[in-house]
Amino acid sequence: MLQKPSIGVFICQCGGNISDTVDVTRVKETIGTLDQVKVAETFEYLCSNPGQEMIKKAVKEKVLERVIVASCSPRMHISTFRQVMKSAGLNPYLMEMVNIREQCSWVHDDKEKATNKTIALIRAAVQRARYLEPLTPEKMKVTESVLVIGGGIAGIYSSLELADKGYQVYLVERNPSLGGHMAQLSKTFPTLDCSACILTPKMVSLSHHPNIKIFTNAEPILVKGSSGRFEVKIKVKPRYVNPEKCKTCGECAKICPVEKPSSFEENLVQEKAIHIPFKQAIPNASVIDKDYCLYLTDFLAILGPPGTRGVCGKCEKNCKNQAINLKQKDKILELKVGAIIVSTGFSLMDSTLIGQYSFGFHPDIITNLQFERLMLQGLHKPSTGEVPKKVAFILCVGSRSETTDGCSYCCKIGCMTAIKQALLLDKAVTKAEPWIFYTDIRAFGKGYEEFYAKAREHFILFIRGRASEVIPNDNSLIVKATDTLLGKQIEEQFDLVVLSPALIPNKGTKELAEMLSINLGPDGFFLEAHHKLKGVETRRKGIFVAGAALGPKDIRETTMEAMATASKAATFLGKGEKSVSPEVAYLIPGRCDLCGICVDQCPTKAITKGKNEVIINPISCNGCGICIPICPKEALDLKNTTEKQMIAQIKGIVEGEDTTPKIIAFVQKRTAYGSIDLGGQNRRNYSPEIRIIRVPGMARLGIKHILHAFAAGADGVIFVEGDDSIFNRDRMRERVMLFKKDLRKFGIHPLRLQITTTTLPQYEKTLALFDDFVQRVKKMTPITQEKREEVKKYLESEKTVT
Amino acid sequence: MRARKLSHEKDKLTAQAKTTQIGVRKETRRDFVKEVTKMPGGEKILECIQCGSCAGGCPSMFAMDYSPMQIIKMINLGMKKEVLSSSTIWVCSLCYTCATRCPRNVDFPTLMMSLRNKAIREKLVKDSTKSNFHKYFFEIVNKYGRMHTPELIVKLLDITDLHSLLHNARLGLRLFKIGKLHLRATKIETSWVSSIREKTDQEEIQ
């Protein structure tokens, strides 16, 4: 059914910016003759106060239901005119803007052609305006609690910030204690303050906070629901010790018969199977390592039954407080949260992969994290226990390398850690000789360069050259390298060799990314939504990432990011309610048959399967429109870019006999449209045959739109996609290939369809392509009217099916 | 005013002259680097971060005039003449220590072989004693279809150096006793040598 609202068209002259090239009076007269157009006015400056008053007056006096403003780019003034609509008493989404400045008057010289194009653009807007619907931002309820995954410094900081703001926080940590890597460090660069002294007070205040619940030994196993209303299942592994009853007397550890390498001490020290993780651990209680406990694991089962399971149990019998329970089982908890913060951190690369450094063949070849533990234990050589004097620090072990075992990125903290450790060594040991073998010293942070200078003042030897080889000897280690600045080979003996391995994403990062359906970068770390502007957000709304889970990072940056995520999460959750942009996908009731194609394709997981139909969460939906053309039942649609609106606009833009050829450019709303606007602002002339339609993205378009364009009289279609597209290049090409195949079936040359991707400043490339494309289409034999009719017939027959 | 302008122009001229002296003028530099990146082994030379892993472990660096790392840098600076007339490309023993340790996957030994070919073709070999080995080796293989060690020794022998002559004579006698040196050369079919040569020549033309 064709709706017949009354429409008012207002054409801005922009003080000559538009009226010098476009014959505004002719436009006004032609548009005034169109159906339903009650008012067609032109004014010098529509955005000025008198101009706005004129629109308001016309709306009220002539009882207009739709308003079209033909002026500058909607990127510039759409909010101004929406405000005008509001004060005139109309829904702001019933206004349509036509860009006749950046797309007509500034880029075309030919007055006749520019005027024709203006008329076509406004006509399209009039056609589209018939189907405009009033939209209001929806309000959604969100759960006012946050799940923080990972209890390192990033998790601790973001939890504290959020809890102080009044949100309920669930902190989930995989290890038996909070603290992460920072708890293992001796001192921090560049101020050399004690790491534990600044971390543990935070951990204590965290454990006493009324708004924070801590789950140690736990991991999320399932994340359901959508942004704002997540349902998370958490598996809590047994600790076998009740932390409330345990008094950390340590009697159990004395009688435990099993010894194992301590993971907190980086395997430098042996500890019992039942042990306290470290002195300041939170929760401060013993824990049993299941893999080593005789009672819990069958150690001798290989020799023949019975194994050792269920035999020992000494600790349980001897505990005075009855804190130990060896029969504990896995617990599964369900949490309801509104937002999730991921701060899973990093781990060190296995240095044995870089074979030439002989890591693992000699106890005196250690990693920098092991050196931190050695500093706290009292510095000694792991092999003999002597104090090391001459120590080599080898940087970039596996970092900045393109080999299969290495990582291509910089580990970012290796240089400063080595400098810090060298300085600490210099302080702790008299006549110490630290040598640092570096590729490039990267001292980029605040106070780092001064720290580097301080190290040189302390006569620490810096050798520019990556060590080539470490040869283990009986008493000492030989390091081979070149001083690349002198061009001479070095072969030196050392007491201790400290490697700085590359930082890699923590174990389980990939699985977590799949569970949360957020993206990983090529380096394996989590990927932020935008490299510069959305540094802690992910593609999925309501999920934020902080700290080394995003990439190698020092403590200062990590805490800053943690606080940023807390602030972002608080903004997202608001006060329990969230207003949502109305430009989202919606379901046309009664059509869906639950085939599930859209559920798989949705990049933000906004669509879930319901009972009879799919359910769309408007908070998660980002309005990309990918679900609409792929739906076989045409059951989905996108608000403010509905199927009807689009087809009406396509038809309107190519109607009439003004120019040949007519080419429609579908331009992505955000980046690409801005790019073409930029071209307009720089007065880059291009062919007036190009008519631009603003779409949410390439994903919104199906073959139907292209066929409609050709049926209505277009001679070519060009897509301009922004670089922030939800498609990657291959998938985009794949889709266009399918379109081209379909076009060939109707006898339309596939070269009439063109696709390009652009970044914001790259308008020159896009506009040059416009010119080339117009030339190409001009050379082709025109599409006959019969072919167009054939396409039209096909489209009509399709309509009857659905 | 004019004087100032002139002095400024003079500075500019000397600056240009300096750059041409070390052969870093942009065009020649790019030409040579492009040429090398197309050679086998030279694909990754632009990725070199000058870390020195290659030079640190090189067993024959004592005899080189430039270290492997310096050779890569010189290629990137476009110092064609210096690279091709250096002794490094001939001294390299192709042990592949550098290639296994290189973090950026530069295939240095293969590049050395390519540069040897280029040096001969461009007649830029400065120290012919080092390249002579390869020349004589090929000559002998071409003649007999296989190696004949005594002939190679005789060809490479430097009669003026008495000390090494005596030293080598002792070694030769020992080898002769074990039966490792055959005075008479055995000849096998030689057609395969020329077929290889034809193939490489064809590839070069392409």
Side-chain angles (χ1 to χ4, degrees):
Chain A
M1 199 181 78
L2 193 71
Q3 290 167 314
K4 293 207 166 177
S6 52
I7 300 170
V9 181
F10 300 91
I11 302 146
C12 186
Q13 296 168 2
C14 206
N17 269 319
I18 292 170
S19 52
D20 283 355
T21 342
V22 176
D23 188 352
V24 184
T25 39
R26 185 157 82 87
V27 174
K28 188 179 122 184
E29 280 159 14
T30 326
I31 295 297
T33 59
L34 287 178
D35 278 354
Q36 292 159 269
V37 177
K38 268 196 176 174
V39 182
E41 287 285 346
T42 154
F43 195 75
E44 200 169 4
Y45 288 106
L46 272 182
C47 54
S48 67
N49 258 346
Q52 292 184 19
E53 285 304 317
M54 190 190 83
I55 298 174
K56 278 183 213 171
K57 209 173 139 193
V59 169
K60 276 174 190 162
E61 282 178 2
K62 303 269 169 72
V63 204
L64 297 177
E65 288 167 278
R66 305 281 190 273
V67 171
I68 286 161
V69 178
S71 59
C72 48
S73 168
R75 284 166 64 89
M76 187 138 165
H77 270 316
I78 197 157
S79 51
T80 317
F81 290 113
R82 279 193 177 156
Q83 210 58 42
V84 173
M85 291 292 282
K86 239 182 205 176
S87 52
L90 274 179
N91 187 297
Y93 287 89
L94 295 179
M95 186 269 306
E96 177 68 16
M97 266 188 98
V98 186
N99 187 353
I100 58 168
R101 193 178 73 179
E102 276 87 346
Q103 286 175 16
C104 280
S105 65
W106 277 356
V107 288
H108 305 315
D109 294 330
D110 191 330
K111 201 164 179 177
E112 176 70 24
K113 279 185 176 171
T115 310
N116 282 345
K117 184 175 167 181
T118 308
I119 292 168
L121 289 176
I122 298 177
R123 194 173 50 215
V126 169
Q127 298 282 12
R128 177 179 141 87
R130 288 181 185 154
Y131 299 101
L132 284 178
E133 290 157 2
L135 299 172
T136 40
E138 266 185 76
K139 291 223 162 147
M140 289 281 297
K141 276 205 168 167
V142 289
T143 324
E144 274 184 273
S145 57
V146 183
L147 172 74
V148 179
I149 305 170
I153 180 66
I156 289 168
Y157 250 81
S158 46
S159 305
L160 271 177
E161 284 285 317
L162 278 166
D164 284 345
K165 281 183 174 127
Y167 295 99
Q168 176 68 45
V169 177
Y170 302 105
L171 179 55
V172 176
E173 165 62 44
R174 181 160 61 185
N175 291 326
S177 168
L178 301 179
H181 278 117
M182 195 182 164
Q184 290 177 289
L185 306 181
S186 58
K187 286 183 178 171
T188 56
F189 57 80
T191 47
L192 289 184
D193 42 10
C194 156
S195 173
C197 315
I198 51 177
L199 175 72
T200 41
K202 291 277 167 198
M203 281 160 67
V204 174
S205 61
L206 191 82
S207 63
H208 293 317
H209 206 290
N211 284 347
I212 301 177
K213 266 195 179 174
I214 302 169
F215 301 101
T216 49
N217 255 354
E219 273 178 308
I221 49 168
L222 187 72
V223 178
K224 273 203 299 188
S226 47
S227 309
R229 287 177 296 186
F230 291 110
E231 286 164 26
V232 187
K233 268 191 188 169
I234 287 171
K235 184 169 143 193
V236 184
K237 281 177 245 156
R239 192 189 178 93
Y240 305 107
V241 179
N242 187 344
E244 280 153 23
K245 282 187 185 170
C246 180
K247 296 279 181 287
T248 61
C249 62
E251 288 296 323
C252 46
K254 279 179 197 162
I255 45 171
C256 181
V258 191
E259 277 206 336
K260 71 171 196 72
S262 161
S263 60
F264 180 76
E265 299 284 352
E266 289 292 317
N267 304 340
L268 290 168
V269 176
Q270 296 284 316
E271 66 182 4
K272 292 291 175 66
I274 181 163
H275 59 275
I276 303 162
F278 57 100
K279 276 170 196 159
Q280 303 97 334
I282 299 279
N284 200 352
S286 295
V287 63
I288 294 177
D289 196 324
K290 196 187 160 192
D291 298 336
Y292 291 92
C293 179
L294 285 180
Y295 188 91
L296 297 165
T297 317
D298 277 333
F299 266 103
L300 301 171
I302 322 146
L303 301 173
T308 55
R309 187 189 288 267
V311 180
C312 171
K314 272 186 186 171
C315 45
E316 194 176 16
K317 285 168 211 157
N318 280 298
C319 182
K320 285 166 196 159
N321 300 312
Q322 274 106 41
I324 302 173
N325 175 17
L326 288 169
K327 289 186 181 72
Q328 255 184 19
K329 292 232 163 78
D330 284 358
K331 252 195 287 179
I332 289 181
L333 299 175
E334 267 192 46
L335 302 175
K336 283 191 175 173
V337 293
I340 297 175
I341 292 175
V342 182
S343 48
T344 47
F346 68 92
S347 54
L348 293 182
M349 195 186 108
D350 184 8
S351 303
T352 48
L353 291 176
I354 312 296
Q356 64 258 37
Y357 297 135
S358 319
F359 184 77
F361 289 100
H362 196 285
D364 288 348
I365 304 172
I366 56 173
T367 65
N368 50 7
L369 198 55
Q370 283 177 322
F371 190 80
E372 293 286 328
R373 295 315 303 163
L374 281 186
M375 293 295 296
L376 286 167
Q377 289 163 13
L379 196 60
H380 62 273
K381 276 163 76 175
S383 57
T384 56
E386 292 166 16
V387 176
K389 291 238 153 139
K390 204 168 171 188
V391 181
F393 294 91
I394 298 177
L395 301 184
C396 299
V397 176
S399 305
R400 299 181 66 194
S401 110
E402 299 285 336
T403 51
T404 43
D405 295 328
C407 310
S408 56
Y409 48 89
C410 166
C411 84
K412 213 175 171 183
I413 56 164
C415 296
M416 295 316 289
T417 311
I419 292 172
K420 175 196 78 181
Q421 289 174 346
L423 269 173
L424 291 178
L425 179 83
D426 193 53
K427 260 187 196 171
V429 181
T430 45
K431 288 188 179 174
E433 253 190 82
W435 291 47
I436 296 179
F437 293 90
Y438 68 97
T439 315
D440 294 297
I441 290 284
R442 294 188 166 171
F444 50 86
K446 191 178 180 180
Y448 289 10
E449 184 61 38
E450 291 86 334
F451 194 62
Y452 176 33
K454 192 178 156 192
R456 277 174 292 167
E457 279 165 20
H458 278 74
F459 301 104
I460 285 161
L461 238 122
F462 286 90
I463 306 284
R464 200 219 168 271
R466 195 180 281 217
S468 181
E469 195 172 3
V470 179
I471 305 161
N473 219 345
D474 287 343
N475 302 318
S476 58
L477 302 157
I478 298 166
V479 175
K480 273 187 169 182
T482 31
D483 190 324
T484 58
L485 301 177
L486 289 177
K488 278 191 179 162
Q489 275 183 324
I490 293 173
E491 210 174 306
E492 280 280 334
Q493 292 201 341
F494 288 95
D495 297 335
L496 194 68
V497 170
V498 183
L499 308 177
S500 294
L503 304 195
I504 52 168
N506 224 335
K507 210 178 78 190
T509 299
K510 206 175 167 191
E511 290 79 6
L512 188 65
E514 269 168 30
M515 200 190 298
L516 298 169
S517 78
I518 53 180
N519 294 24
L520 289 181
D523 49 3
F525 288 100
F526 289 107
L527 196 67
E528 55 274 65
H530 188 278
H531 189 268
K532 306 224 158 29
L533 303 177
K534 290 177 180 174
V536 294
E537 290 164 65
T538 60
R539 180 171 274 180
R540 227 175 146 190
K541 284 176 200 167
I543 299 182
F544 308 95
V545 193
L550 280 170
K553 215 153 278 162
D554 59 7
I555 295 168
R556 185 184 150 92
E557 272 181 68
T558 304
T559 47
M560 287 197 292
E561 270 181 11
M563 289 187 270
T565 47
S567 158
K568 272 275 155 201
T571 319
F572 175 74
L573 295 175
K575 287 190 171 116
E577 260 190 346
K578 181 141 191 67
S579 94
V580 187
S581 161
E583 289 175 347
V584 292
Y586 70 99
L587 189 76
I588 302 165
R591 283 193 188 171
C592 180
D593 64 346
L594 272 183
C595 66
I597 294 174
C598 51
V599 180
D600 298 335
Q601 290 275 343
C602 181
T604 59
K605 292 240 168 170
I607 309 178
T608 43
K609 274 189 185 179
K611 225 176 187 184
N612 301 318
E613 292 174 328
V614 290
I615 300 162
I616 300 166
N617 180 345
I619 300 184
S620 303
C621 180
N622 64 359
C624 67
I626 191 172
C627 47
I628 294 137
I630 56 166
C631 182
K633 294 278 173 190
E634 298 185 10
L636 295 159
D637 217 338
L638 190 69
K639 281 177 188 166
N640 212 22
T641 322
T642 61
E643 209 69 350
K644 276 181 186 170
Q645 288 167 2
M646 278 197 69
I647 289 165
Q649 199 177 2
I650 290 167
K651 278 181 184 165
I653 217 160
V654 287
E655 259 176 24
E657 294 292 326
D658 36 18
T659 51
T660 44
K662 291 170 199 157
I663 283 150
I664 301 184
F666 290 102
V667 178
Q668 187 241 21
K669 193 155 75 174
R670 230 177 297 149
T671 316
Y673 199 88
S675 170
I676 288 168
D677 270 3
L678 210 61
Q681 278 157 23
N682 286 320
R683 312 292 198 277
R684 164 64 166 87
N685 264 35
Y686 57 87
S687 317
E689 287 84 4
I690 300 275
R691 277 99 195 257
I692 290 169
I693 294 181
R694 193 160 162 253
V695 291
M698 238 284 307
R700 172 71 186 85
L701 295 161
I703 182 67
K704 210 168 117 186
H705 303 116
I706 297 154
L707 288 180
H708 266 292
F710 283 114
D715 296 297
V717 172
I718 185 162
F719 295 139
V720 189
E721 179 73 330
D723 63 335
D724 53 347
S725 157
I726 61 158
F727 280 147
N728 58 24
R729 239 161 229 210
D730 293 339
R731 275 199 57 203
M732 197 145 68
R733 193 162 295 152
E734 206 175 282
R735 204 164 193 188
V736 172
M737 281 299 164
L738 284 177
F739 289 166
K740 289 193 171 182
K741 242 181 213 173
D742 283 342
L743 280 186
R744 198 171 273 145
K745 277 181 206 162
F746 289 101
I748 296 168
H749 201 287
L751 280 180
R752 288 181 187 271
L753 186 65
Q754 173 76 33
I755 180 166
T756 176
T757 316
T758 177
T759 58
L760 197 67
Q762 250 185 343
Y763 64 86
E764 186 56 49
K765 181 193 118 188
T766 319
L767 300 182
L769 183 76
F770 278 177
D771 289 341
D772 289 351
F773 188 65
V774 170
Q775 290 307 319
R776 185 207 290 172
V777 172
K778 266 183 189 167
K779 278 176 201 161
M780 288 178 183
T781 44
I783 303 173
T784 55
Q785 202 54 39
E786 289 154 20
K787 266 183 195 167
R788 293 193 201 276
E789 286 298 326
E790 198 184 314
V791 177
K792 229 180 246 181
K793 250 183 212 168
Y794 167 78
L795 284 169
E796 269 161 24
S797 68
E798 277 286 288
K799 223 178 246 174
T800 51
V801 172
T802 47
Chain B
M1 191 67 201
R2 171 174 275 190
R4 196 185 276 172
K5 203 178 173 187
L6 277 173
S7 73
H8 173 72
E9 278 175 357
K10 205 178 161 193
D11 278 355
K12 217 175 174 181
L13 278 175
T14 47
Q16 270 178 3
K18 268 178 195 168
T19 47
T20 42
Q21 263 174 14
I22 34 170
V24 202
R25 212 172 54 195
K26 229 177 172 183
E27 287 159 22
T28 53
R29 176 193 159 219
R30 206 173 276 171
D31 287 350
F32 186 52
V33 175
K34 267 188 187 169
E35 213 173 321
V36 175
T37 46
K38 277 174 198 157
M39 288 179 186
E43 299 89 352
K44 295 265 167 87
I45 51 156
L46 286 170
E47 284 191 24
C48 175
I49 54 170
Q50 292 285 301
C51 70
S53 298
C54 44
C58 181
S60 33
M61 205 180 117
F62 64 92
M64 292 174 175
D65 49 1
Y66 299 108
S67 76
M69 186 197 81
Q70 282 169 322
I71 288 286
I72 305 273
K73 187 72 198 171
M74 282 155 75
I75 294 169
N76 285 342
L77 287 173
M79 298 157 80
K80 184 175 176 180
K81 223 177 177 181
E82 287 85 344
V83 169
L84 293 183
S85 56
S86 72
S87 74
T88 304
I89 56 173
W90 297 105
V91 170
C92 174
S93 60
L94 309 183
C95 70
Y96 278 84
T97 310
C98 46
T100 48
R101 286 177 190 167
C102 178
R104 314 296 280 192
N105 289 336
V106 178
D107 190 355
F108 192 78
T110 315
L111 178 64
M112 285 304 103
M113 290 189 257
S114 315
L115 287 176
R116 281 172 191 174
N117 282 339
K118 185 145 183 76
I120 291 174
R121 220 170 293 134
E122 308 238 334
K123 291 177 184 142
L124 278 168
V125 186
K126 200 169 74 180
D127 189 1
S128 58
T129 48
K130 268 154 191 145
S131 61
N132 274 352
F133 172 81
H134 301 266
K135 199 174 139 195
Y136 297 143
F137 186 94
F138 193 79
E139 268 176 22
I140 293 163
V141 173
N142 206 11
K143 206 157 129 193
Y144 302 117
R146 58 180 298 186
M147 192 61 218
H148 185 229
T149 326
E151 198 171 333
L152 185 69
I153 292 170
V154 168
K155 277 192 170 170
L156 280 171
L157 218 51
D158 185 5
I159 304 171
T160 52
D161 192 352
L162 239 162
H163 179 76
S164 72
L165 209 66
L166 280 171
H167 175 78
N168 286 332
R170 214 175 292 158
L171 186 74
L173 273 171
R174 264 167 67 197
L175 283 171
F176 189 72
K177 264 183 195 169
I178 317 164
K180 292 281 176 192
L181 284 184
H182 302 282
L183 288 180
R184 187 178 287 168
T186 44
K187 198 175 173 183
I188 57 167
E189 204 183 345
T190 55
S191 60
W192 62 274
V193 185
S194 53
S195 76
I196 287 177
R197 192 168 198 171
E198 269 167 29
K199 247 182 199 175
T200 47
D201 283 349
Q202 269 174 9
E203 271 167 26
E204 272 157 27
I205 291 159
Q206 279 169 10

